Amino acid sequence: GIQFDVYHMWFLYRPTTTSRAIRPSHSHSNSIQLTSPSPSIHSIKMQATLSNNVTLASKFASKSTIRAQRRSVVVRAEGKVSHGKGGEEGGATFKNDAFGMVAKNANYMLFASAVSKTGCEPIMTSPGPITVFAPNDDAMVDFIKKIGKTKMDIMEDPNLPGVIKSHIVEGTYKIADMPDGTTLTTIGGNTITISGGAVNGSKMTKNDIKVDNAILHAVNAVIEA
């Protein structure tokens, strides 16, 4: 009876390519053992194809990584070209003088441009000493609109040199040196008057900015000649 049962089970669960086989043991105990089927040709082909795909994907990923690294190197190399302010590679280098102070400050670019355009830059970079009343960009824009010009037009205006020179005085004057009623003669030859913390009506917003050759005071409006 035991032999029949074992044979019957072997017949029903004989080895195939897709299932695990149960076969009778050749031991004297007639025990049943589980065995794994040998791999089919189809599964071997699938494994070979998968292996090839993995290899190709790995090679592709390696090439993509190399290209990405190359692009990264190019970007970093291009990034070295800077159009920034003083001290940065590719940018202008400004000294610690009156012109350098306004030229490297983003809020005074129009005034700095006007100083250069009118030939006043050598005065602003000279040993000095000088005092500069510097209007910020908002003040310059208001002035440009007031006289009906554009930012481009103002740089060619024949009256611009006189306007810029009205902001520069020989000698150094701190706020403590300019009580109400003080009059100063600018390098343009006109007279400006200090009153109520303002210069000819242009309010001083910052005072006593010290650089190597000058004292600067920020003003919120252009001092008209």
Side-chain angles (χ1 to χ4, degrees):
I2 295 176
Q3 292 180 352
F4 174 78
D5 290 340
V6 170
Y7 176 79
H8 186 256
M9 292 177 66
W10 174 85
F11 180 79
L12 293 175
Y13 299 95
R14 62 189 181 279
T16 65
T17 58
T18 59
S19 65
R20 299 180 67 188
I22 305 177
R23 66 181 181 182
S25 172
H26 295 290
S27 66
H28 296 290
S29 63
N30 292 324
S31 62
I32 297 173
Q33 294 181 347
L34 297 178
T35 61
S36 299
S38 59
S40 66
I41 294 175
H42 178 67
S43 64
I44 292 173
K45 288 182 177 180
M46 289 182 65
Q47 290 177 356
T49 302
L50 179 60
S51 177
N52 289 336
N53 289 342
V54 171
T55 301
L56 291 173
S58 177
K59 289 181 179 180
F60 178 78
S62 298
K63 290 181 179 180
S64 298
T65 301
I66 292 172
R67 286 195 294 268
Q69 290 174 344
R70 287 176 179 173
R71 286 195 298 269
S72 178
V73 170
V74 171
V75 169
R76 285 196 295 269
E78 291 175 349
K80 292 180 180 179
V81 181
S82 171
H83 299 286
K85 299 181 182 66
E88 297 180 13
E89 186 175 352
T93 300
F94 301 113
K95 296 181 180 180
N96 186 39
D97 53 30
F99 181 74
M101 178 58 69
V102 295
K104 65 187 178 184
N105 191 315
N107 295 321
Y108 293 84
M109 290 300 183
L110 287 175
F111 180 64
S113 296
V115 168
S116 296
K117 187 67 177 179
T118 56
C120 293
E121 184 175 339
I123 298 171
M124 298 270 283
T125 58
S126 68
I130 57 176
T131 297
V132 179
F133 298 94
N136 59 26
D137 282 351
D138 289 340
M140 290 291 293
V141 169
D142 289 343
F143 172 72
I144 292 169
K145 290 180 178 179
K146 179 181 177 180
I147 62 175
K149 301 285 184 178
T150 66
K151 292 179 183 179
M152 296 295 292
D153 293 339
I154 192 64
M155 297 301 166
E156 305 298 332
D157 192 299
N159 296 319
L160 186 61
V163 172
I164 297 304
K165 290 177 181 179
S166 295
H167 295 76
I168 306 172
V169 176
E170 291 184 357
T172 53
Y173 296 90
K174 294 183 177 181
I175 189 65
D177 302 323
M178 300 182 293
D180 283 359
T182 300
T183 58
L184 303 172
T185 301
T186 70
I187 61 172
N190 60 307
T191 300
I192 55 177
T193 303
I194 310 299
S195 178
V199 187
N200 278 20
S202 300
K203 185 174 179 59
M204 290 182 280
T205 57
K206 293 182 181 179
N207 298 104
D208 300 346
I209 303 169
K210 180 73 171 69
V211 292
D212 290 346
N213 67 338
I215 293 290
L216 291 90
H217 304 278
V219 292
N220 67 352
V222 170
I223 302 170
E224 298 184 48

